[in-house]
Amino acid sequence: MDFFSYRNGRLYCEELAVADIVAREGTPAYVYSKATLVHHYTSIASAFAELKPTICYSIKSLANVNILRVLRDLGSGFDVTSGGELARALAAGGQADKIVFAGVGKTDREICEAIDAGIMAFNVESEEEFANLSRLAGQKGTRVHAALRVNPDVYDPKTHTYTVTGKKETKFGVDIERAMKFFQTLGKDKNVLLDAIHIHIGSPIYSSQPYVQAITKTLELIDRLREMGFPIEMLDIGGGFAADYEEGASPSALQYAGDIVPLLRGKGLRIVIEPGRSISCNSGVLLSEVQYVKKGGDRNFVIVDAAMTDLIRPAFYGAKHFLYPAQLEPGQEPPPRKMEYVPPGAVKVDIVGGVCESSDFLAKDRMLPPMKRGDLLAVFSAGAYGFVMSSQYNTRPRAPEILVDGSGYRVIRRRETYQDVIAPEL
Ligand SMILES: *Cc1c(COP(=O)(O)O)cnc(C)c1O
């Protein structure tokens, strides 16, 4: 669900035609819809309201400080995975006591920054990290809260292997048997109050069932830990709710909550949720202009001015994004957002960028209306893991980020210049 739609053959973001935005700001450009962000945040908040959860938006999916401000104003906390993301959360006015810090490789510097900020909890992933956290907290003479990240050994078979994180053999967290030992040996530490469990089983997870399995297993672990005298206060169920890469692909927040909330009701646990893409993904499109159209053997290439440097998900995970011209020819119908949709007169094309790599594509074998130089192409569902994964490879300055609010817009990150790219070397 989002607020991008065609009107009279032109793609609109809320009340603005995207072609009018890029006529001023140029391409490639990321355009975000504030109403869509707000819609997804509030859907999750109201679906889970009974549990009074702390929602910690996962910054890594879409990290612009101005986006974080929108979410903070709605009451969101933040899930950070690095010192840099912590700095963003704080720069956006994020409340430290609603910040959780995940990641298997936290450095001393990052840990100290988070202790100084006074975050809500460290999501600890190994015995060594715990010992280090305890040492650093001890040095500072403070006591910090930690959750142990547990692998419930559950995953969604539809999730790409690179984004599965809940299986035993991933690098994340510890398995359930080791969690018991972890508490027995480290659970009474004087510098780190270990009173919480964290799970994050991967993403995107296209049904509530993996959550139900993972939470059920985790609640059994919590019961055992409580019986052993460890008063577990908090459960962080992670993120990974799916987004609509095609229309109707993901369950609604109410569907996830319908199965998850009854499991957690009355358990005496403070609940944390870490949604990322379910808030950010459908809030953004990447706009790009067709540069050239060419044939190579029997393949048709549409070469655009966005590239893997702007959106790496297709090259990185084989991810599929729906894309379509932002301006329709007279008589053309607005498309359903389905990868398999074949518009009248369609041509099978590969949409590629100008980077010197064969993996530089945005889509392959897609049936699209014939396109020509100068046409504007919209890549949908690009708000999450889009701009944040962009690079300057081939010395390509990064695209701007633009936030639309009703009939107005604001450039929330300007387009980089050559000078921005080269300056740190001079
Ligand atoms: C990436 C991540 C998330 C968010 O995942 P989404 O698929 O964007 O919802 C939440 N928690 C942790 C620990 C993560 O690493």
Side-chain angles (χ1 to χ4, degrees):
M1 144 68 205
D2 58 56
F3 293 96
F4 292 91
S5 62
Y6 286 85
R7 293 187 204 163
N8 300 321
R10 307 179 82 204
L11 180 64
Y12 274 70
C13 174
E14 303 188 14
E15 302 304 319
L16 281 180
V18 296
D20 293 341
I21 301 173
V22 297
R24 293 176 60 180
E25 307 302 338
T27 52
Y30 275 95
V31 171
Y32 306 123
S33 151
K34 181 176 173 186
T36 310
L37 276 174
V38 170
H39 169 85
H40 287 290
Y41 178 87
T42 50
S43 303
I44 293 171
S46 61
F48 286 90
E50 184 192 330
L51 299 174
K52 299 195 175 64
T54 303
I55 298 179
C56 293
Y57 167 70
S58 182
I59 288 188
K60 75 177 191 284
S61 71
L62 171 55
N64 189 293
V65 170
N66 301 278
I67 299 288
L68 304 185
R69 286 195 182 121
V70 170
L71 295 169
R72 176 213 56 190
D73 289 347
L74 296 170
S76 188
F78 298 112
D79 161 40
V80 305
T81 61
S82 69
E85 287 186 355
L86 174 61
R88 280 185 184 278
L90 298 174
Q95 250 176 269
D97 62 359
K98 288 189 192 170
I99 294 176
V100 291
F101 186 2
V104 296
K106 301 178 192 80
T107 63
D108 290 5
R109 176 183 163 177
E110 290 175 316
I111 291 173
C112 288
E113 287 165 356
I115 294 174
D116 292 344
I119 65 165
M120 174 166 74
F122 288 83
N123 289 336
V124 170
E125 310 225 12
S126 68
E127 291 83 352
E128 280 205 357
E129 182 198 334
F130 186 91
N132 195 36
L133 175 61
S134 173
R135 181 181 68 84
L136 293 167
Q139 274 174 14
K140 288 181 177 289
T142 48
R143 193 157 199 227
V144 297
H145 276 260
L148 176 61
R149 179 157 176 182
V150 170
N151 271 322
D153 200 21
V154 169
Y155 68 103
D156 182 346
K158 281 209 260 171
T159 304
H160 192 278
T161 47
Y162 285 6
T163 54
V164 167
T165 58
K167 286 181 84 174
K168 264 190 185 173
E169 50 275 19
T170 68
K171 71 173 179 182
F172 301 100
V174 304
D175 61 48
I176 288 194
E177 298 88 273
R178 231 169 90 196
M180 296 293 292
K181 285 207 197 76
F182 199 113
F183 272 85
Q184 280 164 335
T185 50
L186 302 167
K188 300 281 186 197
D189 192 86
K190 65 181 192 312
N191 305 320
V192 184
L193 180 57
L194 182 63
D195 61 356
I197 301 287
H198 174 225
I199 55 176
H200 170 65
I201 54 179
S203 56
I205 311 275
Y206 281 99
S207 78
S208 53
Q209 282 320 301
Y211 290 97
V212 169
Q213 287 173 37
I215 291 169
T216 304
K217 280 190 176 182
T218 306
L219 287 173
E220 287 166 13
L221 171 68
I222 290 174
D223 281 344
R224 283 160 71 195
L225 289 170
R226 282 174 163 173
E227 279 163 21
M228 286 162 55
F230 298 104
I232 307 298
E233 306 281 353
M234 187 172 100
L235 171 61
D236 179 342
I237 63 169
F241 299 150
D244 284 344
Y245 289 97
E246 294 189 284
E247 62 186 47
S250 61
S252 67
L254 273 174
Q255 285 171 310
Y256 285 113
D259 291 329
I260 292 173
V261 170
L263 301 173
L264 297 173
R265 189 178 279 152
K267 295 286 181 193
L269 289 164
R270 174 172 181 191
I271 300 299
V272 176
I273 315 177
E274 304 172 340
R277 87 180 67 220
S278 49
I279 293 172
S280 52
C281 173
N282 292 111
S283 300
V285 299
L286 171 61
L287 299 169
S288 183
E289 189 184 80
V290 175
Q291 303 301 303
Y292 306 105
V293 175
K294 77 180 247 189
K295 274 191 177 297
D298 55 2
R299 301 190 82 81
N300 297 302
F301 293 104
V302 175
I303 303 164
V304 297
D305 64 358
M308 67 190 298
T309 46
D310 301 293
L311 180 66
I312 203 173
R313 299 186 71 256
F316 201 14
Y317 313 116
K320 288 191 175 142
H321 285 262
F322 183 79
L323 31 74
Y324 213 76
Q327 311 240 50
L328 307 179
E329 298 295 329
Q332 258 179 18
E333 289 296 313
R337 288 213 219 130
K338 292 278 185 192
M339 309 295 172
E340 302 307 317
Y341 172 63
V342 180
V347 192
K348 192 192 254 187
V349 294
D350 291 355
I351 308 285
V352 304
V355 168
C356 308
E357 299 286 343
S358 304
S359 57
D360 178 23
F361 63 90
L362 298 179
K364 278 191 169 161
D365 293 325
R366 215 56 81 71
M367 298 300 287
L368 290 174
M371 277 182 282
K372 59 181 188 310
R373 180 172 166 78
D375 284 356
L376 185 62
L377 183 77
V379 185
F380 292 86
S381 319
Y385 308 102
F387 181 84
V388 287
M389 285 193 178
S390 62
S391 78
Q392 299 165 327
Y393 182 43
N394 280 201
T395 307
R396 293 168 61 97
R398 287 192 183 86
E401 293 179 286
I402 293 163
L403 181 60
V404 172
D405 181 5
S407 54
Y409 77 83
R410 215 153 50 86
V411 176
I412 56 171
R413 190 180 206 276
R414 65 170 169 78
R415 184 182 304 284
E416 288 180 354
T417 62
Y418 298 145
Q419 209 41 42
D420 289 329
V421 185
I422 298 167
E425 298 160 33
L426 301 179

